[in-house]
Amino acid sequence: MKHILSMLLLTVTLSLNAWAAPDIPVKAWGFVPIIKQEVTNHFPEIPYPEYVPALMEKESCITLKHSRCFSSTAQLKTDREKGVGVGQITIAYNKDGSVRFDKLSEMTERYKKELPKINWNNIREKPEAQVRIMVLMLRDDYRALYNVEDEYQRTAMMDAAYNGGRGSVHKERRICGMAKNCDPDIWFGHVERYCSKSKKPMPAYGNRSICDIHRDHVKSVMKSKLPKYVRAKFLD
């Protein structure tokens, strides 16, 4: 009986949240306790905790009502890449089939204590571990950008690093710093103009380039998704 009442209470709570904030995916609310716990334990200095669910939406939601949206079992797979879960933790392959990079193995090797017994065989059934990996990755990127004083710009660059690699952000900041009228401590309108990734159109992605996709990621998360999670007081 207690379990049934708890489930009914959760259902009512999710329904009320969905009514109050229709632009927030319904399944997102079920992740609130996990996000709050992982941020508190592993990234307490994050300036915008609501960035985490904003990123999860960007990574997992084709539409707000899609079955993949905020699903720990979501999987996007091509011949050269596989992304899993709410953070699309990724393994990518070279043309010859060898591994180009394996973010899950990299993180579990670096954080043995925080991510024990996590592997590609069980990660889809472990939403807590998925969020923890995301939070740890974001924390590493944020701390690596210690010399960017403005928290909003630093968060934007953190997003760029999560999506496209920390090395690319550092490279683009250096290029910006050598360019006229470009501030390497500001993302929008400055560093974002100096994309070091491929600009070749890709038919499979609507003729967008890797550079286009990467820049859209930062803009979408920071200017569209983050504000609505803040307005909804998602983590309050």
Side-chain angles (χ1 to χ4, degrees):
M1 178 62 75
K2 184 177 180 181
H3 176 69
I4 295 174
L5 289 174
S6 297
M7 290 302 295
L8 287 172
L9 178 61
L10 176 60
T11 300
V12 171
T13 301
L14 292 177
S15 298
L16 289 173
N17 286 333
W19 175 81
D23 56 349
I24 303 293
V26 174
K27 287 193 290 187
W29 298 99
F31 277 88
V32 169
I34 298 174
I35 296 171
K36 291 173 74 171
Q37 176 177 303
E38 296 304 325
V39 166
T40 298
N41 290 345
H42 300 291
F43 194 2
E45 73 268 34
I46 188 172
Y48 306 98
E50 297 86 0
Y51 168 86
V52 178
L55 176 61
M56 291 166 69
E57 179 184 320
K58 177 63 177 176
E59 293 295 323
S60 68
C61 300
I62 296 175
T63 68
L64 298 185
K65 295 184 178 180
H66 194 278
S67 60
R68 268 185 50 190
C69 190
F70 279 88
S71 171
S72 64
T73 61
Q75 181 169 279
L76 179 62
K77 189 174 182 179
T78 67
D79 292 340
R80 299 279 297 276
E81 188 173 333
K82 179 175 76 172
V84 168
V86 291
Q88 287 296 287
I89 302 161
T90 303
I91 181 170
Y93 304 91
N94 296 307
K95 288 183 179 180
D96 62 5
S98 60
V99 174
R100 183 161 62 90
F101 69 85
D102 180 344
K103 185 54 68 172
L104 179 62
S105 297
E106 177 186 323
M107 293 300 291
T108 54
E109 178 64 25
R110 184 181 304 164
Y111 293 106
K112 293 184 174 70
K113 181 180 177 181
E114 294 85 351
L115 300 166
K117 300 180 180 178
I118 302 299
N119 53 57
W120 284 111
N121 293 323
N122 61 24
I123 187 61
R124 293 180 72 196
E125 286 72 47
K126 295 184 178 294
E128 294 88 353
Q130 292 179 18
V131 177
R132 184 171 302 170
I133 290 170
M134 290 180 66
V135 169
L136 289 169
M137 288 174 62
L138 293 169
R139 183 189 70 183
D140 289 350
D141 290 333
Y142 190 79
R143 290 180 179 177
L145 292 159
Y146 62 90
N147 57 349
V148 179
E149 294 185 3
D150 183 88
E151 291 180 339
Y152 185 81
Q153 300 299 332
R154 188 173 174 183
T155 302
M157 293 185 201
M158 175 184 74
D159 183 84
Y162 183 93
N163 179 250
R166 195 185 310 161
S168 293
V169 176
H170 289 323
K171 179 180 180 180
E172 290 160 2
R173 290 187 68 212
R174 288 195 297 271
I175 295 172
C176 170
M178 293 184 290
K180 185 179 180 180
N181 298 323
C182 189
D183 188 336
D185 290 343
I186 299 177
W187 176 261
F188 293 107
H190 291 262
V191 178
E192 71 168 342
R193 303 201 317 260
Y194 295 90
C195 184
S196 62
K197 299 184 179 300
S198 172
K199 297 178 176 64
K200 181 180 179 181
M202 299 184 295
Y205 293 91
N207 283 325
R208 293 187 301 163
S209 67
I210 293 175
C211 186
D212 294 333
I213 293 170
H214 181 257
R215 267 30 186 182
D216 175 72
H217 191 284
V218 183
K219 183 178 180 180
S220 176
V221 175
M222 296 299 296
K223 293 190 176 290
S224 175
K225 293 172 173 51
L226 174 59
K228 73 177 182 179
Y229 284 93
V230 173
R231 286 194 304 269
K233 299 182 179 179
F234 184 78
L235 295 174
D236 286 358

